[in-house]
Amino acid sequence: MHKARSVRAYAVMAAFFVLIVGVFVVSMNMGFTRLSPLEVLSTLFGGGTDKQKLILFEFRLPRIVISVLVGCGLALSGAILQGLSRNPLADPGILGINAGAGLAVVLFISFYPVKTAAPAFMLPVLALVGAGLTAALIYVLSYKKGVGISPVRLILVGIAVAAGIHAAMIVLTIRLEPQNYQFVAIWLAGSIWGTNWKFVLALLPWIAVLIPYVIYKANVLNVLNLGDQTAAGLGVRLERERLTLLASAVALAASCVAVGGGIGFVGLIGPHLARQLIGPKHQFLLPASALAGGLLLIVADTIGRTMLQPSEIPTGIVVAVIGAPYFLYLLAKSKA
């Protein structure tokens, strides 16, 4: 039985990976200027015209790579939060962590340009500060002495804090110059705006370090799901492990929001899809969630770029069209 589940889990992850590669290839071909598969292949290997090189290497490839990385990071963050809180509705967007990160980024970009490389590398750090402060606030408001943190209370507090932060951002935008206001509006809609290689390089170290670390901690999440008393009896340092895993989830969400905008529901849908397919064991659930999130976001971004050409639908709106009904379904199911 154990071996069969392992084989199934690896098969599901392989399927996710193959689908990501397939959509990646299709996405390189699609856009306002169509490139045939042969033209893409020729350009990738040094051929192609200057125009084709510009379109592929400077516009499409960075955006496609960022969409996969952001999807992986947000979904993994959601999987961690769901494991820590034992709440199937936990998600960095719903809990307000994305909003806190976004507020820090919007404040920075409102006053400083991001055309140079240095500010681009600062954005994940600033987002981490905003997300960390927001997570701390939500934790304090959700905690009840003698009871701890109730899953329902956590969701309600997160929604309230997120609403307050979004209201603050709207108030701030009133005083912005037109070009900055346009950026904030696009960001709030969840558009992947960091579409060049400097933003890929700014995000990649966070993803490359945090994803292996979190997967390494999969056993800790498995034990924490057994309950605090059991986990403590097995020698787990509860508060220390919770803090490090929570910090990892916040850092993943913050770095992704810094370059991906206010995209919600990826951290909810990715882990749920993976859990339905391979079960709750975190050794498989965490990498499968990351792959599911990457697949979801690259599909959503491709649809958003191509459906209403030459205009674009922000990726966050495409994800919300999928995610909002799914969230309501999960909410109704949890009440049952």
Side-chain angles (χ1 to χ4, degrees), residues 122-140:
M122 289 176 60
L123 290 179
V125 178
L126 293 168
L128 178 59
V129 173
L133 292 173
T134 303
L137 176 63
I138 293 169
Y139 184 89
V140 169

Side-chain angles (χ1 to χ4, degrees), residues 46-86:
T49 65
D50 290 339
K51 181 181 178 181
Q52 289 170 345
K53 290 178 182 177
L54 179 67
I55 291 171
L56 188 60
F57 290 112
E58 299 302 324
F59 295 120
R60 289 189 189 167
L61 273 177
R63 178 164 180 166
I64 296 169
V65 171
I66 284 176
S67 67
V68 174
L69 293 178
V70 168
C72 289
L74 289 176
L76 189 59
S77 177
I80 298 166
L81 292 173
Q82 289 172 18
L84 287 176
S85 64
R86 297 194 290 276

Side-chain angles (χ1 to χ4, degrees), residues 17-261:
F17 181 78
V18 170
L19 287 172
I20 289 173
V21 172
V23 178
F24 197 105
V25 172
V26 171
S27 190
M28 286 192 292
N29 299 329
M30 299 179 71
F32 181 68
T33 301
R34 292 294 181 97
L35 299 177
S36 70
L38 287 177
E39 287 173 334
V40 169
L41 191 63
S42 174
T43 306
L44 286 174
F45 287 95
T49 65
D50 290 339
K51 181 181 178 181
Q52 289 170 345
K53 290 178 182 177
L54 179 67
I55 291 171
L56 188 60
F57 290 112
E58 299 302 324
F59 295 120
R60 289 189 189 167
L61 273 177
R63 178 164 180 166
I64 296 169
V65 171
I66 284 176
S67 67
V68 174
L69 293 178
V70 168
C72 289
L74 289 176
L76 189 59
S77 177
I80 298 166
L81 292 173
Q82 289 172 18
L84 287 176
S85 64
R86 297 194 290 276
N87 187 339
L89 301 179
D91 163 74
I94 296 168
L95 292 180
I97 294 172
N98 286 4
L103 179 61
V105 173
V106 168
L107 280 172
F108 179 75
I109 294 176
S110 299
F111 298 101
Y112 297 95
V114 289
K115 302 298 183 183
T116 57
F121 285 90
M122 289 176 60
L123 290 179
V125 178
L126 293 168
L128 178 59
V129 173
L133 292 173
T134 303
L137 176 63
I138 293 169
Y139 184 89
V140 169
L141 294 176
S142 303
Y143 185 82
K144 196 171 182 180
K145 190 174 181 180
V147 178
I149 296 179
S150 163
V152 175
R153 187 181 179 89
L154 181 69
I155 291 291
L156 294 176
V157 170
I159 292 172
V161 170
I165 292 174
H166 282 302
M169 278 197 279
I170 292 172
V171 171
L172 287 171
T173 58
I174 296 174
R175 300 179 62 87
L176 294 178
E177 296 178 0
Q179 63 270 25
N180 287 333
Y181 176 82
Q182 184 179 12
F183 164 78
V184 172
I186 293 172
W187 187 94
L188 288 173
S191 176
I192 296 179
W193 63 278
T195 54
N196 59 54
W197 292 110
K198 70 182 181 185
F199 291 102
V200 174
L201 293 175
L203 176 60
L204 191 58
W206 296 80
I207 299 295
V209 171
L210 290 172
I211 286 183
Y213 173 75
V214 170
I215 294 175
Y216 171 73
K217 289 288 186 178
N219 270 329
V220 175
L221 280 169
N222 289 334
V223 174
L224 288 175
N225 278 340
L226 298 175
D228 288 358
Q229 290 184 346
T230 304
L234 292 172
V236 174
R237 298 179 180 178
L238 295 177
E239 295 307 318
R240 179 181 173 181
E241 295 294 353
R242 277 204 186 100
L243 185 61
T244 55
L245 286 166
L246 179 61
S248 299
V250 170
L252 280 168
S255 57
C256 291
V257 166
V259 298

Side-chain angles (χ1 to χ4, degrees), residues 70-76 78-79 82 91-93 98 263-272 289-290 292-294 296-297 300 315 319 323:
V70 168
C72 289
L74 289 176
L76 189 59
Q82 289 172 18
D91 163 74
N98 286 4
I263 299 173
F265 294 113
V266 176
L268 180 71
I269 299 174
H272 271 275
S289 297
L296 172 64
L297 207 58
T315 306
V319 175

Side-chain angles (χ1 to χ4, degrees), residues 294-315:
L295 176 62
L296 172 64
L297 207 58
I298 191 175
V299 169
D301 186 56
T302 303
I303 291 172
R305 284 195 299 111
T306 58
M307 181 172 283
L308 296 178
Q309 293 176 0
S311 299
E312 288 188 9
I313 304 173
T315 306

